[in-house]
Amino acid sequence: MYNTSVNQYLREHIRTVMDWPAPGVQFRDITPLLQDAKVFRVLIDAFVHRYMDPALRPDVVAGLDARGFIIGSVIAYELGVGFVPIRKKGKLPFTTVEETYELEYGSATVELHVDAVKVGHRVLLIDDLIATGGTMMAGKKLLEKLGAEVMEGAAIVDLPELGGSAKLRASGLPLFTLVNFEGV
Ligand code: HSX
């Protein structure tokens, strides 16, 4: 956790939408954090303050499709490093590596351009939310296929009851999240 008051401020601006996208699901909607200029700045600065520390400064930020693009690209810009998108299959034009992972029903595939990172690059991997952890784990595997090191995974929201953050940490990936929702 970053800082209690910042955490609480951000939590208050996350909208919970009941029964979306399916009955019984409480969707944690981060769009209200983005639409208010002050909240957006507090959000981005929470990440930038952490990763501008020379010990934690990445070579590249990788964002997961699609909300990871919104925050990841701004964080990369502020840190003065490059940004690379990890996209759902079929969206990237150049040669890619791909990784398929299981969803609750079916599977999904994500892709990354083969020249997106260099061997040995220290990469910060960003998404809006960690639920089962499948998406972030797939992103980590893609970056590692190209010889990069994912130095940390970061997200605005963690849903720990779904087990994703524990699974990611158990795989050796350090995680940084700002808001933790115990009920899902
Ligand atoms: C949501 O699913 C978020 O935006 C993330 O990209 C992803 C998190 O779910 P999970 O892969 O951790 O279960 O659409």
Side-chain angles (χ1 to χ4, degrees):
M1 285 294 176
Y2 172 69
N3 166 304
T4 305
S5 59
V6 170
N7 281 344
Q8 188 56 32
Y9 181 73
L10 294 173
R11 173 188 288 266
E12 286 164 7
H13 290 85
I14 294 171
R15 174 166 48 205
T16 298
V17 181
M18 304 303 291
D19 297 318
W20 197 89
V25 176
Q26 289 185 58
F27 187 83
R28 306 299 183 177
D29 175 18
I30 58 108
T31 62
L33 297 169
L34 310 172
Q35 73 196 50
D36 179 303
K38 182 177 164 191
V39 183
F40 190 24
R41 187 166 293 274
V42 170
L43 171 71
I44 296 302
D45 285 352
F47 290 107
V48 171
H49 288 165
R50 178 172 177 79
Y51 296 110
M52 69 191 298
D53 180 331
L56 288 175
R57 193 167 181 278
D59 297 311
V60 177
V61 175
L64 288 155
D65 198 341
R67 284 174 284 264
F69 299 167
I70 300 170
I71 54 169
S73 58
V74 181
I75 293 163
Y77 182 85
E78 288 292 328
L79 292 172
V81 303
F83 173 82
V84 297
I86 295 174
R87 297 215 61 181
K88 288 164 187 156
K89 188 174 172 65
K91 301 291 185 184
L92 289 173
F94 185 56
T95 312
T96 63
V97 283
E98 65 177 54
E99 181 72 27
T100 297
Y101 61 102
E102 298 308 312
L103 300 172
E104 193 174 357
Y105 300 104
S107 64
T109 301
V110 285
E111 291 184 307
L112 177 63
H113 278 150
V114 291
D115 62 355
V117 292
K118 293 189 166 47
V119 173
H121 260 163
R122 296 174 76 247
V123 182
L124 171 63
L125 178 56
I126 298 224
D127 204 352
D128 67 320
L129 179 144
I130 298 169
T132 67
T135 307
M136 190 165 281
M137 187 70 86
K140 175 177 182 277
K141 287 180 181 169
L142 278 182
L143 290 158
E144 288 173 350
K145 276 183 192 176
L146 297 179
E149 175 206 345
V150 184
M151 38 84 64
E152 192 152 275
I156 304 168
V157 176
D158 181 22
L159 305 179
E161 290 176 7
L162 294 181
S165 50
K167 192 171 74 181
L168 289 161
R169 287 193 174 99
S171 80
L173 181 67
L175 286 183
F176 175 70
T177 58
L178 294 170
V179 180
N180 187 327
F181 283 101
E182 292 290 345
V184 290

